[in-house]
């Protein structure tokens, strides 16, 4: 049984512990808990998945609740993958942001094949400025 919730007060420590055992963790500033805390506090939506109270998945998104939603982090504990948790986190994030928003994400390397399987459409043009940290 997986329990899903909007959890705006998720702690940086719990999020870091989840990220540490995943491929997404290597692309997040885990050695900077204050920065992780800011990432969580400034997010518009933090949707969690828990199994018997244990954090097993998180979706962290920025949205205007009107037009667009950027899904910045989608992470599921590797021991809990292939159970539909990621798909449900995406669905609940989009639902909370509003179905009139376009949900946008940049796939992590190696995860590109996952998103078409859950009904997402690939967009061929994405432009960005790199972080200056």
């Amino acid at each position: 049984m997986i329990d899903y919730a909007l959890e705006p007060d998720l702690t940086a420590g719990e999020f870091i512990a989840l990220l540490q055992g995943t491929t997404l963790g290597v692309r997040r500033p885990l050695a900077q808990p204050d920065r992780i805390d800011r990432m969580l506090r400034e997010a518009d939506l933090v949707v969690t998945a828990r199994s018997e109270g244990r954090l097993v998945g998180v979706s962290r998104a920025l949205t205007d609740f009107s037009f667009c939603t950027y899904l910045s982090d989608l992470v599921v504990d590797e021991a809990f993958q292939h159970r539909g948790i990621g798909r449900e986190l995406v669905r609940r994030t989009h639902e909370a942001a509003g179905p009139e928003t376009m949900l946008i994400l940049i796939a992590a390397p190696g995860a590109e094949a996952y998103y078409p399987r859950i009904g997402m459409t690939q967009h061929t043009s994405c432009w960005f400025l790199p972080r200056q940290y």
Side-chain angles (χ1 to χ4, degrees):
M1 176 74 175
I2 302 297
D3 296 310
Y4 297 91
L6 290 173
E7 204 167 328
D9 295 325
L10 181 66
T11 68
E14 200 170 16
F15 189 42
I16 289 168
L18 174 63
L19 286 166
Q20 285 174 330
T22 69
T23 58
L24 187 60
V26 299
R27 287 180 296 287
R28 296 298 180 265
L30 302 185
Q32 301 173 21
D34 290 344
R35 189 170 179 195
I36 295 285
D37 184 64
R38 283 194 322 269
M39 289 166 56
L40 290 167
R41 297 292 72 78
E42 299 299 329
D44 297 303
L45 292 170
V46 176
V47 183
T48 60
R50 292 183 179 273
S51 175
E52 298 178 2
R54 175 182 166 199
L55 185 67
V56 298
V58 171
S59 169
R60 186 180 71 84
L62 310 172
T63 184
D64 59 15
F65 296 99
S66 298
F67 190 74
C68 62
T69 299
Y70 172 59
L71 181 51
S72 180
D73 294 319
L74 178 64
V75 60
V76 175
D77 183 309
E78 291 183 8
F80 285 81
Q81 291 180 2
H82 308 290
R83 299 183 192 187
I85 294 170
R87 176 191 305 262
E88 186 64 11
L89 286 167
V90 170
R91 187 191 73 72
R92 287 175 183 254
T93 300
H94 198 203
E95 178 181 74
E100 66 272 14
T101 66
M102 177 184 291
L103 192 133
I104 304 158
L105 65 81
I106 298 172
E112 298 91 343
Y114 172 72
Y115 296 102
R117 292 196 314 255
I118 65 167
M120 296 187 80
T121 302
Q122 184 175 16
H123 192 283
T124 58
S125 63
C126 173
W127 309 97
F128 69 95
L129 295 172
R131 284 179 206 89
Q132 308 252 334
Y133 64 114

